Amino acid sequence: MFRPPAVLASAVLLVGLASCGDGTMERTPLPEGIVMHVDQARVERKGRQVFIRVKNTMAESVTVVGFTMRSSRVSTVRWTGDDVIGAGYETDLEFDMPLGRCGNGFTAAVSLTYRIGEGDVRQSIGTADDPYGNIDSLLGRDCAKTTLASAAVVTTGMPVVQGVGLRSTLRLPVTLTSTGKLQGVRFGGYESTVLFRQAPGSPADVDVFLGRADHPINVDMVVVPSRCDPHALAEDKVGTLFGVKVLADNVADGASFYLPLTRPQRSAYFAFFSSHCGLD
């Protein structure tokens, strides 16, 4: 399933990579001392900023002046710059990941343009893996989100507190209204976060077919704090990123996307956490 690429950050330039002054460039195998990974920082999970981490285990410095990344999961990414990696060090070449296609796993072929020490510019092709599965998760979220968006409209209301004290829960009204445009897509439930867990009555592990357009489905999410830890609340960056599981033939098992919440809705979750845990 092909998707249009997202607008890349200014660091990603859709131009040809630099070449030597005479119009030629030495193409050599990627040295064993250069290793590449693709990853995303935890604090960036709400966005699309990712990076290729280039490790230099050689005895000389390496200067990266560009790369082209190709993968079956995304459109081609081209980057230019001037990043020096000292011997024994690593650097992160940041860019915005284009919108992902459905699939399983992620690896990329990276054509790296660089110099070793004071040598000439050369170009080598190597493989960049996804060591922690963070890129596969990001692209899986793209797939789940676009698939569900084709099949249904997701509508949310303001969270409502039910009960008092430690017996209280927070209910978020959620309605799925079928578009009738895509068949075979099902709602698989909600995932918990580091701050909140799904409470009894919340659809956490289900298999619900979307109804007709004139029969919206109510799938309210009900949560309670996972733990009453004020330090976790103060430092948390992903506590309101609730995964919405999507089940379909083209969606990888376990794929989900983050339930879209407004700032007032997120504020209501943090206020509930403080109230429930007696921190206010």
Side-chain angles (χ1 to χ4, degrees), residues 244-276:
V244 180
K245 290 180 280 189
V246 179
L247 309 175
D249 290 341
N250 67 320
V251 178
D253 292 343
S256 64
F257 70 95
Y258 296 140
L259 184 66
L261 297 175
T262 64
R263 179 171 294 181
Q265 288 172 324
R266 295 186 188 280
S267 296
Y269 277 93
F270 294 126
F272 169 69
F273 184 101
S274 297
S275 175
H276 181 97

Side-chain angles (χ1 to χ4, degrees), residues 1 3 18 20 44 53 57 75 88 97 124 195 218 229 260 277:
M1 178 180 294
R3 307 293 182 194
C20 298
E44 299 292 344
R53 176 164 292 166
T57 64
S75 300
M97 182 66 80
S124 302
L195 284 186
N218 294 323
D229 184 345
C277 295

Side-chain angles (χ1 to χ4, degrees), residues 68-116:
T68 300
M69 186 188 80
R70 293 182 172 86
S71 170
S72 62
R73 297 290 303 275
V74 296
S75 300
T76 299
V77 173
R78 294 183 175 88
W79 179 95
T80 59
D82 189 9
D83 210 313
V84 179
I85 313 170
Y89 287 86
E90 61 187 33
T91 192
D92 294 343
L93 309 176
E94 298 179 341
F95 62 97
D96 280 359
M97 182 66 80
L99 191 65
R101 307 179 183 112
C102 295
N104 287 284
F106 178 83
T107 57
V110 178
S111 178
L112 195 69
T113 306
Y114 61 101
R115 296 190 304 273
I116 297 178

Side-chain angles (χ1 to χ4, degrees), residues 136-221:
D136 183 39
S137 295
L138 170 62
L139 304 183
R141 291 194 293 272
D142 290 343
C143 174
K145 184 176 181 179
T146 54
T147 298
L148 185 62
S150 297
V153 176
V154 181
T155 305
T156 62
M158 279 299 295
V160 179
V161 178
Q162 299 179 320
V164 295
L166 292 176
R167 295 181 179 273
S168 62
T169 61
L170 191 66
R171 178 180 292 271
L172 177 74
V174 183
T175 302
L176 302 178
T177 304
S178 174
T179 63
K181 298 178 181 179
L182 187 62
Q183 303 300 316
V185 180
R186 293 108 63 205
F187 167 70
Y190 301 112
E191 296 176 337
S192 298
T193 74
V194 293
L195 284 186
F196 298 97
R197 61 180 174 84
Q198 300 301 316
S202 187
D205 188 12
V206 296
D207 190 337
V208 178
F209 277 89
L210 301 176
R212 301 194 307 270
D214 58 346
H215 283 74
I217 300 173
N218 294 323
V219 287
D220 294 357
M221 184 174 69

Side-chain angles (χ1 to χ4, degrees), residues 31 34 58 60-63 114-122:
I34 296 178
M58 297 187 296
E60 295 182 88
S61 66
V62 172
T63 302
Y114 61 101
R115 296 190 304 273
I116 297 178
E118 298 300 323
D120 294 333
V121 174
R122 62 175 67 185

